Amino acid sequence: MPTHTNSNSRSRKSLMSSSMVLALQCSNRLRSDLDVVAGAGAAPNDRRATLALASHSVAFQHHCAITILVDNGLHGSAAALLRSMYEGCVNGLWLTYAADEHHLKKFEEDRYRPEPSKALRQLRSHDDGEYIETLERLHNQVMQPLNSYAHTGALQVVRHIGSDFIGPNFTEVEIEEFLELADAVLIASGLELPRLLGLQSEEGVQEAVLRYKSGRSGPHTSNPNS
């Protein structure tokens, strides 16, 4: 079975459409641009900001892994990481804006972690920014399927059953939606970099996001929220 699955993955990668190639290029470019922003700042010197930045860093790492997995045809593993990436971003925001000192200490000791829905409610009471609305919308729309992918539920399993093979059998539309979701979460984490790294300007992040949106506005891309 492993040999058959790997062969199928290589075949699907070699047949990647121009739309899929563009989506993957835009995802990688977005992360690369935000990495440049992250490299221009200084490490925070307080516990709250350090924990928050580390959580967003995990989201960045998962985004990188997702693009590598997609590029190599390992779409099930890419889908499984989406929930962890989303939680890395939400946890980072919660640590920055909503966690009190008691919960901050419990989180650091691995004795408390809020469910994403609860963290978002607490964040909403502190901030009504657009990125919170984006994360809330994503949570309402995709958390159930993300759970299925992450915990090897029915959605994950049935997408590994092909007509004549066992292996990743996602459509390109689904894969592009994975990437767009990962990119939306990455942007939410990226918007926190100036504050957490003590940068004087948000210009670098804004330019990265505008460049990404410009690249993704081509006629071959899909919209996961449509």
Side-chain angles (χ1 to χ4, degrees), residues 100-119:
D100 57 29
E101 286 299 320
H102 172 70
H103 286 106
L104 199 68
K105 186 175 187 298
K106 290 183 69 175
F107 179 90
E108 192 173 19
E109 296 171 346
D110 202 21
R111 295 190 295 118
Y112 179 80
R113 178 177 57 84
E115 287 297 316
S117 58
K118 182 176 181 179

Side-chain angles (χ1 to χ4, degrees), residues 4-213:
H4 186 70
T5 300
N6 289 341
S7 174
N8 180 65
S9 296
R10 287 195 297 271
S11 174
R12 294 175 75 87
K13 180 185 175 185
S14 67
L15 297 175
M16 194 179 291
S17 71
S18 59
S19 175
M20 189 69 247
V21 171
L22 176 62
L24 198 53
Q25 288 175 342
C26 288
S27 295
N28 283 323
R29 178 63 180 271
L30 172 65
R31 190 182 63 256
S32 177
D33 286 346
L34 291 175
D35 280 340
V36 171
V37 175
N45 57 9
D46 70 273
R47 186 165 110 267
R48 179 183 297 274
T50 298
L51 287 170
L53 183 61
S55 192
H56 288 299
S57 177
V58 172
F60 268 67
Q61 182 178 335
H62 285 328
H63 185 276
C64 181
I66 288 167
T67 58
I68 291 172
L69 290 165
V70 167
D71 194 32
N72 285 275
L74 301 173
H75 306 134
S77 297
L81 279 176
L82 285 167
R83 172 168 176 141
S84 292
M85 181 186 176
Y86 172 80
E87 288 188 341
C89 174
V90 171
N91 284 346
L93 293 167
W94 175 79
L95 287 163
T96 299
Y97 301 108
D100 57 29
E101 286 299 320
H102 172 70
H103 286 106
L104 199 68
K105 186 175 187 298
K106 290 183 69 175
F107 179 90
E108 192 173 19
E109 296 171 346
D110 202 21
R111 295 190 295 118
Y112 179 80
R113 178 177 57 84
E115 287 297 316
S117 58
K118 182 176 181 179
L120 288 172
R121 285 196 299 270
Q122 293 179 8
L123 285 166
R124 169 59 70 186
S125 69
H126 286 77
D127 194 311
D128 59 356
E130 181 180 351
Y131 68 98
I132 298 296
E133 289 185 4
T134 299
L135 291 172
E136 287 177 329
R137 184 170 65 252
L138 291 176
H139 183 92
N140 293 333
Q141 292 178 349
V142 304
M143 185 53 66
Q144 184 172 346
L146 292 192
N147 286 338
S148 187
Y149 291 134
H151 301 297
T152 319
L155 288 181
Q156 182 73 278
V157 172
V158 299
R159 280 162 176 78
H160 282 74
I161 303 173
S163 58
D164 59 353
F165 69 92
I166 297 297
N169 192 35
F170 295 83
T171 68
E172 283 209 345
V173 171
E174 289 172 326
I175 299 163
E176 287 192 44
E177 288 176 351
F178 293 163
L179 290 174
E180 287 195 48
L181 172 58
D183 295 343
V185 176
L186 187 72
I187 288 171
S189 282
L191 290 170
E192 292 300 298
L193 293 178
R195 174 191 296 269
L196 294 172
L197 293 171
L199 300 177
Q200 297 299 313
S201 171
E202 298 180 355
E203 184 176 349
V205 174
Q206 293 170 351
E207 289 179 353
V209 173
L210 287 174
R211 188 179 296 113
Y212 167 77
K213 289 182 176 180

